């Protein structure tokens, strides 16, 4: 025990003792080092394993492809057929309207904007939208030339385009050819009704002649499909 004396003070009554003992870490079984070691042992040892491409691939979201039922496939095909039938009706209406524009008797200002599905199909059939819908002449002379024989909106040229579309959609299937004929007849009929409603008059003669020519070609096509196919192919070349 150490005795510390303080100057000027009676040391007999004021004795400070230093009983502090040094920690003997050498013999202490609960030293910090052993505690840390114990914790490490209790937690165990982690092992680093590098991910493989397969592991990453397995984690990637993969949508499950649902197989369409027979009924769904049937509905899809029917929807596609309806789209093509509606398209040919609209094509006839637009083309007849363009003929009337050239005559100065159109009831519409322009063809409405078409969805991409429509423009894609027209491009596939005709090569370009310009071939499906030739530009309208803006002068009286140009308009006259366009509806005369050899012009873009003459009876022959319009009949060619209508039959090209009908045969492209129908192929060699007799049932589909008849469906296209019915759709074309409905298209002409609706065009006539629309024109009559707007002008209180019947379609101009060039439109009537176009209808007659198209129906004549359908008659020939249904009698002898191969001959008409060759004719339309030659006209497109």
């Amino acid at each position: 025990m150490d005795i510390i004396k303080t100057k000027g003070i009676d040391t007999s009554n004021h004795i400070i003792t230093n009983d502090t003992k040094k920690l003997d870490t050498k013999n202490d079984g609960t030293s910090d080092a052993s505690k840390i070691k114990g914790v490490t042992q209790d937690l165990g040892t982690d092992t680093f394993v590098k991910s493989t491409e397969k592991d990453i691939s397995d984690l990637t979201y993969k949508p499950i492809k649902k197989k369409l039922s027979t009924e769904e496939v049937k509905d899809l095909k029917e929807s596609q057929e309806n789209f093509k039938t509606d398209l040919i009706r609209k094509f006839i209406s637009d083309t007849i309207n363009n003929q009337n524009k050239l005559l100065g008797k159109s009831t519409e200002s322009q063809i409405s904007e078409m969805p991409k599905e429509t423009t894609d199909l027209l491009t596939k059939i005709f090569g370009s939208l310009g071939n499906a819908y030739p530009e309208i002449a803006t002068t009286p002379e140009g308009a006259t030339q366009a509806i005369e024989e050899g012009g873009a909106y003459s009876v022959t040229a319009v009949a060619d385009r209508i039959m090209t579309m009908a045969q492209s959609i129908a192929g060699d299937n007799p049932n589909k050819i008849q469906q296209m004929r019915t759709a074309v007849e409905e298209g002409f009929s609706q065009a006539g009704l629309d024109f009559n409603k707007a002008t209180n008059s019947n379609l101009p003669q060039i439109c009537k002649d176009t209808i007659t020519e198209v129906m004549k070609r359908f008659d020939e096509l249904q009698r002898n499909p191969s001959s008409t196919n060759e004719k339309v192919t030659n006209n497109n070349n």
Side-chain angles (χ1 to χ4, degrees):
M1 179 176 64
D2 297 331
I3 299 175
I4 302 174
K5 295 181 180 180
T6 305
K7 186 177 180 179
I9 301 175
D10 186 357
T11 58
S12 61
N13 296 324
H14 298 82
I15 300 174
I16 300 174
T17 61
N18 185 0
D19 293 333
T20 304
K21 296 182 180 180
K22 296 181 180 180
L23 178 64
D24 185 3
T25 60
K26 183 180 296 185
N27 298 321
D28 188 354
T30 59
S31 64
D32 292 341
S34 61
K35 288 180 181 179
I36 295 172
K37 183 177 180 182
V39 171
T40 304
Q41 291 173 341
D42 290 341
L43 293 176
T45 303
D46 292 334
T47 303
F48 174 74
V49 178
K50 184 178 180 181
S51 297
T52 64
E53 291 184 3
K54 182 179 183 304
D55 296 329
I56 297 173
S57 175
D58 291 340
L59 292 174
T60 304
Y61 172 74
K62 297 177 180 179
I64 300 175
K65 293 183 178 179
K66 178 185 174 183
K67 185 177 180 180
L68 296 177
S69 65
T70 303
E71 190 65 28
E72 288 173 327
V73 171
K74 180 181 177 182
D75 290 342
L76 181 60
K77 288 182 177 180
E78 184 177 346
S79 177
Q80 291 174 340
E81 291 303 317
N82 289 338
F83 161 71
K84 293 175 181 178
T85 300
D86 291 341
L87 175 59
I88 198 165
R89 290 195 192 107
K90 184 180 185 306
F91 181 76
I92 290 171
S93 176
D94 291 339
T95 302
I96 292 297
N97 187 56
N98 282 348
Q99 281 184 326
N100 291 326
K101 280 182 185 179
L102 295 166
L103 293 170
K105 298 180 179 181
S106 174
T107 59
E108 297 180 17
S109 58
Q110 61 181 6
I111 296 172
S112 59
E113 186 176 351
M114 293 176 285
K116 187 176 185 300
E117 185 179 12
T118 298
T119 58
D120 286 349
L121 182 56
L122 289 174
T123 300
K124 181 180 179 181
I125 294 173
F126 295 102
S128 70
L129 286 179
N131 290 336
Y133 291 103
E135 291 186 7
I136 301 296
T138 56
T139 64
E141 295 79 9
T144 300
Q145 291 177 357
I147 59 177
E148 289 179 347
E149 192 60 33
Y153 285 93
S154 64
V155 170
T156 300
V158 172
D160 284 346
R161 290 197 293 275
I162 291 172
M163 294 306 296
T164 294
M165 175 177 281
Q167 288 180 258
S168 176
I169 294 173
D172 296 328
N173 187 324
N175 292 331
K176 288 186 177 181
I177 290 174
Q178 179 57 45
Q179 290 175 4
M180 287 298 100
R181 178 173 187 148
T182 301
V184 167
E185 289 174 337
E186 292 172 351
F188 279 127
S189 177
Q190 188 59 52
L193 290 174
D194 291 341
F195 188 83
N196 180 265
K197 183 178 179 180
T199 65
N200 198 30
S201 60
N202 295 324
L203 285 170
Q205 189 60 44
I206 187 174
C207 300
K208 295 178 181 179
D209 291 343
T210 301
I211 296 170
T212 300
E213 177 64 21
V214 170
M215 291 300 105
K216 184 176 73 174
R217 294 195 188 188
F218 266 111
D219 289 339
E220 184 180 352
L221 173 61
Q222 292 179 300
R223 284 196 302 268
N224 188 2
S226 60
S227 63
T228 309
N229 281 335
E230 291 173 2
K231 182 178 179 180
V232 171
T233 301
N234 292 333
N235 287 335
N236 289 336
N237 290 335

